[in-house]
Amino acid sequence: MKTLKIEWRHLDVQGETCDRCYDTGENLANEVKRLKRTLEPQGIVIEMIDTKLDDTQIPQSNTVLFNGVPIEDILDIQVSENFCESCTSLLGHETYCRTVVFDGNEYEDIPAKAIRQAAYKALGLEEKEQKPIGGSGCGCNCSGSGCC
């Protein structure tokens, strides 16, 4: 059995997180389900680790690691930061947090497609093309609306 440990590090303030971390968490939860469905029959176990951070650890927030390696060290992703209204509201002071540039676009959350690609690359596997359900080619029935 091979294991892939996917760790999500995010701000936690009394059970709440910022909007961009929340979105990354949703993307990650959906991709973990998808990966389990695809990879567990091949003998690969997917484990998700939820690491809650406090306000002193903002630079680590909204990070995803694959077997301890940050996503930006696996894929061609540039990390930056910008003002985060949501973190600012949660923490009560002006806060700048993590953004990523992936496939030429800047995201405040980590996109599902990046999570999926990093998981396969961390495992040393080639991702098999999904047959389009809704027409976009991503296999998630989004009809090409840019969901992935």
Side-chain angles (χ1 to χ4, degrees), residues 2-130:
K2 198 174 202 179
T3 301
L4 177 62
K5 292 181 181 183
I6 304 174
E7 180 183 0
W8 173 44
R9 294 182 182 173
H10 62 95
L11 175 67
D12 182 83
V13 179
Q14 298 176 344
E16 298 290 320
T17 194
C18 79
D19 292 343
R20 59 180 76 173
C21 284
Y22 176 86
D23 290 343
T24 294
E26 289 291 300
N27 292 344
L28 184 57
N30 290 330
E31 284 307 311
V32 165
K33 285 180 196 170
R34 183 181 188 168
L35 289 165
K36 283 182 176 188
R37 195 171 49 243
T38 305
L39 299 175
E40 282 186 350
Q42 300 174 42
I44 299 170
V45 176
I46 308 297
E47 292 181 14
M48 186 167 154
I49 302 161
D50 184 354
T51 303
K52 297 174 181 176
L53 306 173
D54 64 29
D55 63 340
T56 66
Q57 300 166 304
I58 293 294
Q60 295 178 47
S61 190
N62 204 22
T63 301
V64 178
L65 297 97
F66 298 82
N67 289 335
V69 180
I71 193 169
E72 63 269 20
D73 292 347
I74 297 170
L75 300 178
D76 183 21
I77 289 180
Q78 289 77 48
V79 176
S80 189
E81 66 178 29
N82 64 17
F83 175 75
C84 180
E85 180 65 43
S86 182
C87 278
T88 298
S89 294
L90 279 171
L91 298 173
H93 56 83
E94 189 172 295
T95 306
Y96 290 75
C97 60
R98 188 175 159 100
T99 63
V100 297
V101 177
F102 173 69
D103 276 350
N105 297 306
E106 184 174 24
Y107 297 91
E108 292 184 341
D109 62 335
I110 298 176
K113 182 178 180 182
I115 294 166
R116 187 168 50 254
Q117 285 181 7
Y120 276 89
K121 192 166 181 184
L123 288 165
L125 299 173
E126 289 291 320
E127 182 181 4
K128 293 179 182 166
E129 289 296 318
Q130 300 274 333

Side-chain angles (χ1 to χ4, degrees), residues 34 129-140 144:
R34 183 181 188 168
E129 289 296 318
Q130 300 274 333
K131 291 182 182 175
I133 294 170
S136 70
C138 67
C140 73

